[in-house]
Amino acid sequence: MAVTRAPQPVATQVVRTRTALAHPALMLAGILLVALNMRACLAAISPMVGEIQRSLGLSATASGLITTVPVLFQGVGAPLTPRLTRRFGAERVVLGAVLVLGAGVLLRVLPSAAALYAGCVVIGVAIAVLNVSMPALVKREFPHRAAAMTGVYSTTMLVGATLAAGVSVPLEQAFGGGWRASLGAWSLLALVAALAWLPQLLQARRAQSPATAAATARTAPAAAGRGPWRSATAWQISAFMGISSLLVYSLVAWMPTVLADHGMDRGEAGLVFAFSNLVQVAGAFLVPLIAGRMTRQRALAAAMAVLNGVGIAVLLLAPVSGAWAAAAVLGVAQGGSLGLALAFIVLRTDSAAGAARLSGMAQAVGYLVAAAGPVGAGALHQATGGWTVPLALLLVLAGAAAAAGWGAGRDVTVR
């Protein structure tokens, strides 16, 4: 125990110095505005895919990559973030990532297919950096309310996604039918978040006195050498996040099509899907709050996986008559699984640096796994001519998520 406690006084001093100078309300506002951006620019493009396909003459497969590429690069970019944070500081990295995100949104709407996909890559990398940075910031700034704050910012992400999906078409109509103007407008939200985050960077510079800077430099190499990649619990957290995200992205991509292919009116299918997204907000907020009050979250993780399985089973057995019930159950399960996966990162670590390392691993593995979901489900549908096999496979994967969550919910610390 003496070995693990020795570095703590220095690390604690750095955290307290920064936190004392950063007003909690200002920090919270900055975190929430950044969180609004982290899914909005992805959700905004979903209602526009058909128009983009027609405008640029894309095939169905190429159109599917519009949503797959950002998810893939969220996994690719995640492992780089802890190094960036150690070198430049969390405040500077977050500000830079938000500005890059805004630039990616603008790049995506330039008049060429190459710019569209390049923008998707930039957006994916920027979101990867934010995905990894935010749990560490929450751990550092709100150490005694980390799980509750995780619920707040994960809920804000989903609220941003829901609003973006809902207003993209009205924005297109307001701008005279231009999908480029509608999607490009979301760069303004990134600019607002960057302006709100700028005071955090200025305060962090003032807080970083020569003494604390030297202490940080001495502890950084040691911290960098300890990673979660050899921890079984870290792999279980990563698997839970990856499989849960695969279920989410697969159903985001195909749920309305599944309902429509079974005879439901496309308008009603869209309403069912929107309702499911709305219910996700409740799950993302409540589940981390519950997790923070528990020593072990095994039963909670298993419950989220079971609810995912129940919702998928209803889609498999009664896709039309049970659509609204499936949407409600899946909404709770998907939002709750996202919030719980993020809560695991702050609950299973004992420092902001540890949260950043675990977040980098979990989100790298998680989003690389998740990227296979929409493409794989579509390929299985095309090969089999129906949705029975894809949904049955998702049902099996829900069981795998339960097993991973059972291990991730143990009361252990990943160092």
Side-chain angles (χ1 to χ4, degrees), residues 64 78 85 99 101 193 228 241 245 248 268 278 282 293 320 351 361 370 399:
T85 302
L99 292 174
L101 178 63
M241 173 172 278
S245 298
V248 170
E268 185 180 359
L278 184 63
R293 297 176 178 272
V320 176
S351 67
M361 173 186 172

Side-chain angles (χ1 to χ4, degrees), residues 235-327:
W235 278 104
Q236 289 161 341
I237 292 171
S238 301
F240 181 78
M241 173 172 278
I243 298 170
S244 299
S245 298
L246 183 149
L247 297 177
V248 170
Y249 283 109
S250 297
L251 292 172
V252 163
W254 297 112
M255 183 177 174
T257 305
V258 170
L259 298 177
D261 285 354
H262 282 88
M264 179 177 284
D265 176 74
R266 288 188 178 275
E268 185 180 359
L271 290 176
V272 172
F273 180 61
F275 172 68
S276 183
N277 287 336
L278 184 63
V279 177
Q280 283 186 40
V281 174
F285 180 70
L286 293 175
V287 171
L289 290 179
I290 297 171
R293 297 176 178 272
M294 304 170 72
T295 302
R296 292 179 293 274
Q297 296 80 25
R298 287 180 154 184
L300 190 58
M304 292 302 102
V306 168
L307 287 177
N308 261 316
V310 169
I312 294 167
V314 173
L315 286 179
L316 185 61
L317 299 174
V320 176
S321 61
W324 288 95

Side-chain angles (χ1 to χ4, degrees), residues 101-169:
L101 178 63
V105 170
L106 292 176
L107 177 60
R108 188 173 61 178
V109 300
L110 294 180
S112 76
L116 172 68
Y117 291 115
C120 290
V121 170
V122 172
I123 287 170
V125 172
I127 292 176
V129 173
L130 295 174
N131 281 341
V132 176
S133 300
M134 299 308 282
L137 278 167
V138 168
K139 183 75 173 181
R140 190 192 76 188
E141 295 298 326
F142 305 96
H144 302 299
R145 300 190 299 273
M149 288 304 305
T150 298
V152 170
Y153 95 79
S154 61
T155 300
T156 305
M157 285 194 297
L158 293 177
V159 168
T162 302
L163 290 175
V167 305
S168 285
V169 173

Side-chain angles (χ1 to χ4, degrees), residues 170-198:
L171 279 177
E172 182 186 25
Q173 295 168 349
F175 289 127
W179 64 266
R180 289 188 171 90
S182 176
L183 294 182
W186 295 101
S187 63
L188 297 176
L189 182 60
L191 179 60
V192 171
L195 292 174
W197 194 256
L198 189 59

